[in-house]
Amino acid sequence: MHFDTVRNLETRVALDALLLLMGVSRLDVLYRKLLLTKMFIQGWGKPDDLKRIFEFRKLIGDREKCKNLVPKDYPVFIDKVEEQADCKILNGYFISPLEHFVPGIMPKESVKARFQFILPKEWKTKYKPVCIHLAGTGDHFFWRRRTLMARPMIKETSMASLLLENPYYGYRKPKDQLRSSLKNVSDLFVMGGALVLESAALLHWLEREGYWPLGMTGISMGGHMASLAVTNWPKPIPLVPCLSWSTASSVFTTGVLSKAVNWRELEKQYATHTVYEEEITRMLEYCGTDSFKMGQDFVKNAPSSLDNLRDLDITSDILGLQETPAEVLLEAHHTGVRNSGKGRLTGGREGTGCLDQTLSAVSSSSAHMDMLSAKTITKEDRRRCSLQRESLCFMKGVMDECTHIANFSVPVDPSLIIVVQAKEDAYIPRTGVRSLQEIWPGCEVRYLNGGHISAYLFKQGLFRQAIYDAFDRFLQKYSLSS
């Protein structure tokens, strides 16, 4: 058999082992295979845009510095009111505050923020609770959140919901963007920065209008964005992030969404433009130890898990795993790549040089990895593997810089946070990632059986219950002092 064929088969077997180690949902993997669109097709984004958003991240990462960025009287407008049988729906808009602080970084279609406010016909208690829902990946316009969350919440508890449209989605989607596929890595960071300030504008507006208590939630990406927004709010506030975790770096490097990333374009740009390594890398400040744990856990569990491969009733063809970032780890074994000390990302400080230790650990893990040994190594193999490794590490670095919860302030009262996670989530890997309990001491984490997709389809009622519980907890602690 040709060497490349053997190597591909060995790689697929090892990737199957990696999935088994992670205990991921097969439904998540199969569902992702049905979606053919690629993310970040234009690459990393303009270097100047990355620099500007990184500088802005430093500002919003500190609540004391940014708590007054959005004025309490920031203008919000209602342009349509609809009377429904079970509720009242207000449609509104305002200019995203991000446009004032980082002008021109958002596409013109995204500058005007739009929202729907779904209110009960009558309130069941003396309070007027409102929960802001941020959109998950692919959640365009408002109908999904309105149908699955807002209307049931009115029926069950008379709690109102405010649904904010994400930048790059729905009415705010750039004309040249295909569906939900962000064109640049930087677009995700712009979206996050915008939602942090837009959430503050809406919370101020709701307070002015007399609604209370106020809280935030979201599913998947929406949960993560809600978490970032709450880190900036200077008051205790209920937060229920569903199917999200502490960073987006694992989502795009080890989760099933990593297969949708246009890695070839990212590698090409990273190799061609030295500004990414020489200038942007120097701006990365996150110094967590997440990646070290990933390598250690893989090495610790690899022998027994690889022994169990014969019992895994799922083939690599079904998984449809081709060239994903996880393959880079295995390529490192073939090519014998080690820490060469070249560049800040592969041999530098702890926060951004971490992946190299993961690669080294995996490549020397045990005799069970010997099946991956290569007999024919070309210079091109070595060069490409090195580029893959550096691009992957750069992705982790920039993602952690702008999305890692530990890079932002701890919410005022973490006891008001109820995190809802799926045990076998293949979209939001937790292996090797710092836990939210470690970052937010006092928060509660509830685990659901199954994966990301099954939880989204069948566990909405549990998401809503977590919201009610968080609001009840808030009222128990703060109703007398309000």
Side-chain angles (χ1 to χ4, degrees):
M1 188 179 293
H2 193 273
F3 169 72
D4 285 341
T5 303
V6 172
R7 189 174 71 172
N8 288 339
L9 288 174
E10 290 172 342
T11 299
R12 285 176 177 270
V13 169
L15 285 170
D16 285 358
L18 187 59
L19 283 172
L20 180 63
L21 280 172
M22 295 169 65
V24 301
S25 163
R26 298 176 185 181
L27 175 60
D28 286 357
V29 178
L30 294 172
Y31 181 81
R32 177 60 237 175
K33 187 178 179 183
L34 297 176
L35 303 179
L36 303 177
T37 54
K38 286 286 187 182
M39 300 187 70
F40 312 138
I41 58 174
Q42 291 186 4
W44 300 104
K46 297 177 182 178
D48 285 346
D49 285 350
L50 284 170
K51 292 177 183 179
R52 294 173 72 201
I53 202 68
F54 284 2
E55 287 294 339
F56 185 69
R57 202 288 309 161
K58 295 176 184 178
L59 178 61
I60 63 174
D62 186 333
R63 183 168 54 245
E64 286 304 309
K65 291 181 180 178
C66 69
K67 63 183 180 181
N68 295 319
L69 284 182
V70 181
K72 293 183 178 181
D73 60 350
Y74 193 85
V76 175
F77 308 96
I78 300 297
D79 57 0
K80 185 178 180 182
V81 178
E82 303 175 53
E83 293 287 347
Q84 303 282 330
D86 58 338
C87 64
K88 178 189 292 187
I89 300 178
L90 280 62
N91 292 271
Y93 68 93
F94 58 98
I95 300 301
S96 176
L98 185 66
E99 181 66 12
H100 303 306
F101 295 100
V102 195
I105 201 165
M106 301 176 73
K108 63 180 185 300
E109 296 91 343
S110 296
V111 171
K112 179 183 286 188
R114 297 181 180 273
F115 65 91
Q116 271 195 358
F117 189 19
I118 293 90
L119 293 146
K121 290 285 190 177
E122 61 181 38
W123 304 95
K124 290 185 177 179
T125 69
K126 63 179 180 179
Y127 303 113
K128 296 180 179 180
V130 180
C131 188
I132 297 177
H133 302 247
L134 299 188
T137 302
D139 190 354
H140 294 260
F141 304 105
F142 308 110
W143 67 269
R144 193 180 301 177
R145 284 171 288 165
R146 186 175 62 237
T147 302
L148 297 178
M149 295 293 285
R151 277 199 150 106
M153 287 171 67
I154 283 180
K155 182 178 180 181
E156 293 165 357
T157 63
S158 288
M159 183 180 293
S161 294
L162 193 151
L163 318 178
L164 175 61
E165 182 90 270
N166 282 7
Y168 301 93
Y169 278 18
Y171 295 113
R172 308 178 70 183
K173 185 174 77 67
K175 293 179 180 179
D176 59 348
Q177 177 180 299
L178 180 63
R179 295 190 286 277
S180 309
S181 300
L182 300 181
K183 294 181 295 181
N184 305 290
V185 173
S186 61
D187 293 345
L188 184 67
F189 308 149
V190 173
M191 178 190 291
L195 288 172
V196 167
L197 299 187
E198 291 167 14
S199 297
L202 288 171
L203 288 167
H204 284 312
W205 177 72
L206 289 168
E207 283 189 335
R208 295 200 308 269
E209 295 295 313
Y211 297 103
W212 189 90
L214 308 176
M216 295 198 67
T217 190
I219 300 173
S220 190
M221 181 179 72
H224 194 83
M225 296 300 184
S227 297
L228 296 180
V230 165
T231 66
N232 276 261
W233 188 243
K235 302 177 184 179
I237 182 172
L239 168 67
V240 181
C242 303
L243 308 182
S244 67
W245 203 233
S246 55
T247 178
S249 65
S250 60
V251 174
F252 296 105
T253 57
T254 60
V256 293
L257 267 184
S258 63
K259 182 174 169 55
V261 174
N262 186 7
W263 287 103
R264 289 196 180 278
E265 181 62 27
L266 295 177
E267 291 166 11
K268 176 183 175 182
Q269 291 184 10
Y270 186 82
T272 304
H273 304 290
T274 58
V275 64
Y276 294 113
E277 180 177 359
E278 294 177 357
E279 297 182 33
I280 293 177
T281 301
R282 300 178 186 277
M283 301 180 69
L284 305 182
E285 294 185 343
Y286 178 67
C287 294
T289 58
D290 304 34
S291 295
F292 293 104
K293 295 179 182 178
M294 184 184 299
Q296 293 164 357
D297 289 346
F298 185 92
V299 173
K300 178 180 178 182
N301 297 316
S304 60
S305 297
L306 287 169
D307 282 341
N308 290 334
L309 270 177
R310 63 177 64 90
D311 300 322
L312 183 60
D313 186 25
I314 183 170
T315 68
S316 56
D317 287 336
I318 291 177
L319 288 171
L321 291 168
Q322 297 169 5
E323 188 167 306
T324 67
E327 222 168 34
V328 176
L329 301 181
L330 303 171
E331 282 290 323
H333 185 81
H334 291 308
T335 57
V337 173
R338 296 296 184 270
N339 189 348
S340 62
K342 295 180 180 179
R344 294 171 57 87
L345 284 172
T346 55
R349 58 194 173 92
E350 176 180 298
T352 55
C354 49
L355 187 63
D356 209 59
Q357 295 196 13
T358 301
L359 295 171
S360 180
V362 170
S363 61
S364 59
S365 57
S366 73
H368 290 269
M369 298 302 291
D370 286 346
M371 65 177 181
L372 298 175
S373 295
K375 297 179 181 178
T376 305
I377 306 297
T378 68
K379 186 175 181 180
E380 178 63 21
D381 285 336
R382 292 180 183 275
R383 187 200 66 79
R384 184 156 183 263
C385 180
S386 179
L387 178 57
Q388 287 178 327
R389 181 180 62 167
E390 293 191 21
S391 299
L392 175 62
C393 204
F394 185 71
M395 173 69 90
K396 176 165 178 53
V398 296
M399 283 287 172
D400 279 341
E401 177 66 21
C402 286
T403 72
H404 205 300
I405 294 297
N407 234 15
F408 294 77
S409 300
V410 175
V412 173
D413 188 350
S415 72
L416 302 177
I417 301 171
I418 300 178
V419 182
V420 185
Q421 252 292 348
K423 291 181 179 178
E424 301 173 2
D425 197 325
Y427 281 80
I428 317 290
R430 297 187 302 278
T431 301
V433 177
R434 291 178 66 188
S435 72
L436 284 175
Q437 298 104 311
E438 175 189 344
I439 300 168
W440 291 341
C443 74
E444 178 187 350
V445 180
R446 299 179 181 180
Y447 291 98
L448 309 177
N449 291 325
H452 198 88
I453 301 302
S454 62
Y456 182 85
L457 293 175
F458 306 117
K459 307 294 185 180
Q460 300 275 345
L462 295 178
F463 299 160
R464 296 195 299 273
Q465 186 59 55
I467 294 172
Y468 307 150
D469 293 344
F471 272 73
D472 287 344
R473 193 173 296 173
F474 176 88
L475 288 173
Q476 290 172 9
K477 293 189 70 172
Y478 298 104
S479 60
L480 295 179
S481 61
S482 63

